Amino acid sequence: MHPHAPAHEPPDPRRWRALALLGAAQFMLILDVTVVAIALPDIGAGLALDRTQLTWVVTAYTLMFGGLMPLGGRATDLFGARRLLLVGLTVFTAASLTAGLAGGAAVLIGARMLQGAGAALLSPAALSVVATAFHGPERNRALGVWAAIGGTGSAVGVLVGGLLTAGPGWEWIFYVNVPIGLVLLALLPGALPVTARPTRRATLDVPGALLVTAATATTIYGLTNAGDDGWGAPATLVPLAAGLALYAAFAALQRRSAAPLMDLTLLTRRPVLTGAFLMLVATALLISSFFLGSFYLQGPGGHGPLATGLLFLPVAAGTALGAHLGGRAIGGVGPRLVAVPALLTAAVGLAIPAADTGTGTLSLGLSVASAGLGAGFVAATTTALAHVSPGEAGLTSGLVNTCHEFGGAIGVPVVSSIAGSSIAAGHLAGPGGLTDALAFLAVSAAAGAVAALFLVPAGRPPAGAPTAHLH
């Protein structure tokens, strides 16, 4: 994406300081996915939001993050990483303040969309700086730190969400970003390494970004309506059909574009398509289980937000442990023999609370499932990237990252619709629909394991194959 610095140039002395500050910014973006899950019941009670509105509080962020991230990567090429970083961080910080001040659904969901847009500008630019400021073995160490931020942010997010919601109130899950964002805006300009201005004038495919985001938003609208109107109702089928039409229009535009937002020819390759599919499934299962678990624990489970955050800590830790074990195993046995057991483990874990819903079984089951899904993330990225050339690794990684965000954006409205009236704002709701939704996730994980058995290429990845770093 950017030309590497000549080998004779000494490394920038500010690179580690820049990594620390950019890591803090990225940490905020990742934390904002799970921190909201714990606060959802309190947000619903405080603003009198219904099930559909609560679903959009989660999906608006991941939708914009995933839909606009390819545009953010292109904009980094066009305008430079430094400028995009500061613009994205400014938008994210201002949107966080707006979300905390929101007095109703429209302002809160709009602010969440702006947060996602800011994140989509900030994240690719930050990773670009990290990738170009470090060279040789140092780059691998820096990217390793970057990759670890994702799992840590998810784990800390559930605890921070519980502490802030139980303490000063749900508004502070958004307010806490404001002082951090302002400090980073003050410190980053002096810490960013000096890089050459972009020499390749990339075309910014705004219509493509708007089309793919609108397609996903329309699809999510139809999926969410299914919970109230039924899966065969016009209010469900018309938006779903419109979403498919918009996806088709996006694909047609990308084929004709001289500088497409996504190189869709990558999806004609079985490993890339399979890796993107696995990432979509694994993320949908993980984020959906957080969503359902939060409502059960703070509904029929009778727990407060702090206890819920603590109960989710082993779930978040399970994801990191699974990713670690999957990463160690995949070089020896290959992605197929990691992906299939990983998804079967997730299916067993999700089946535990579906069969016998309670606080203990939910925490145990989701912890087991998350360990499987953590390994599934590694299998997804390795499958997608193992057979692409180094020059295509960036494009493929961007595609996998987009599927990561879209997985959460699509999975939550599906389980929300299945759970239906079990998800209510501000009062305890029965567990029946939540049990049905967990059973659906367990079956989906098992189906994903069967698909992985036939789709994931056998054998070990090639030596020296590139690896993806989420976001």
Side-chain angles (χ1 to χ4, degrees), residues 215 218-223 233-249:
T218 306
T219 302
I220 289 170
Y221 180 70
L223 293 172
T236 301
L237 295 178
V238 171
L240 291 179
L244 288 175
L246 288 170
Y247 277 126

Side-chain angles (χ1 to χ4, degrees), residues 175-205:
Y175 287 152
V176 72
N177 293 331
V178 178
I180 297 173
L182 292 175
V183 169
L184 290 173
L185 283 169
L187 296 179
L188 269 172
L192 293 176
V194 177
T195 56
R197 292 182 61 83
T199 55
R200 184 168 64 86
R201 302 299 289 179
T203 302
L204 202 56
D205 186 10

Side-chain angles (χ1 to χ4, degrees), residues 42-49 57 94-112 115 170-172 174-175:
D42 278 57
I43 294 173
L47 299 182
L49 305 187
V57 171
S96 296
L97 177 62
T98 305
L101 293 171
V107 174
L108 178 58
I109 293 170
R112 290 287 284 163
Q115 277 189 309
W170 65 262
E171 296 90 346
W172 283 89
F174 301 116
Y175 287 152

Side-chain angles (χ1 to χ4, degrees), residues 162-452:
L163 286 169
L164 293 176
T165 305
W170 65 262
E171 296 90 346
W172 283 89
I173 67 171
F174 301 116
Y175 287 152
V176 72
N177 293 331
V178 178
I180 297 173
L182 292 175
V183 169
L184 290 173
L185 283 169
L187 296 179
L188 269 172
L192 293 176
V194 177
T195 56
R197 292 182 61 83
T199 55
R200 184 168 64 86
R201 302 299 289 179
T203 302
L204 202 56
D205 186 10
V206 175
L210 294 178
L211 265 178
V212 72
T213 305
T216 308
T218 306
T219 302
I220 289 170
Y221 180 70
L223 293 172
T224 306
N225 287 347
D228 295 322
D229 302 309
W231 291 93
T236 301
L237 295 178
V238 171
L240 291 179
L244 288 175
L246 288 170
Y247 277 126
F250 170 72
L253 178 66
Q254 297 306 286
R255 283 195 297 267
R256 293 197 308 269
S257 175
L261 188 69
M262 298 182 191
D263 183 3
L264 296 183
T265 60
L266 287 172
L267 291 177
T268 62
R269 303 181 194 177
R270 174 180 152 192
V272 175
L273 180 61
T274 301
F277 165 75
L278 289 176
M279 180 59 73
L280 193 78
V281 170
T283 310
L285 292 171
L286 184 65
I287 301 300
S288 299
S289 64
F290 269 95
F291 180 82
L292 293 171
S294 178
F295 275 99
Y296 175 80
L297 291 172
Q298 296 180 76
H303 299 284
L306 179 56
T308 298
L310 292 171
L311 286 165
F312 264 121
L313 269 180
V315 181
T319 309
L321 176 63
H324 174 71
L325 295 177
R328 289 175 65 91
I330 209 160
V333 301
R336 178 188 290 180
L337 292 183
V338 172
V340 175
L343 288 169
L344 287 176
T345 300
V348 170
L350 290 163
I352 292 173
D356 180 22
T357 306
T359 296
T361 53
L362 184 74
S363 182
L364 171 64
L366 295 190
S367 298
V368 171
S370 69
L373 295 173
F377 288 138
V378 177
T381 55
T382 304
T383 299
L385 286 162
H387 299 281
V388 301
S389 67
E392 295 172 318
L395 285 172
T396 308
S397 184
L399 179 64
V400 171
N401 282 333
T402 299
C403 289
H404 181 272
E405 297 304 327
F406 279 174
I410 293 172
V412 169
V414 171
V415 297
S416 171
S417 292
I418 295 171
S421 60
S422 292
I423 296 177
H427 65 275
L428 301 183
L434 294 175
T435 301
D436 293 341
L438 286 167
F440 170 79
L441 291 180
V443 171
S444 298
V450 174

Side-chain angles (χ1 to χ4, degrees), residues 4-18 129-139 141-142 191-195:
H4 297 318
H8 61 80
E9 285 189 8
D12 194 298
R14 295 170 294 181
R15 65 196 183 283
W16 290 107
R17 181 183 172 203
V129 171
V130 174
T132 54
F134 294 89
H135 305 282
E138 274 195 353
R139 176 181 292 160
R141 286 165 52 198
L192 293 176
V194 177
T195 56

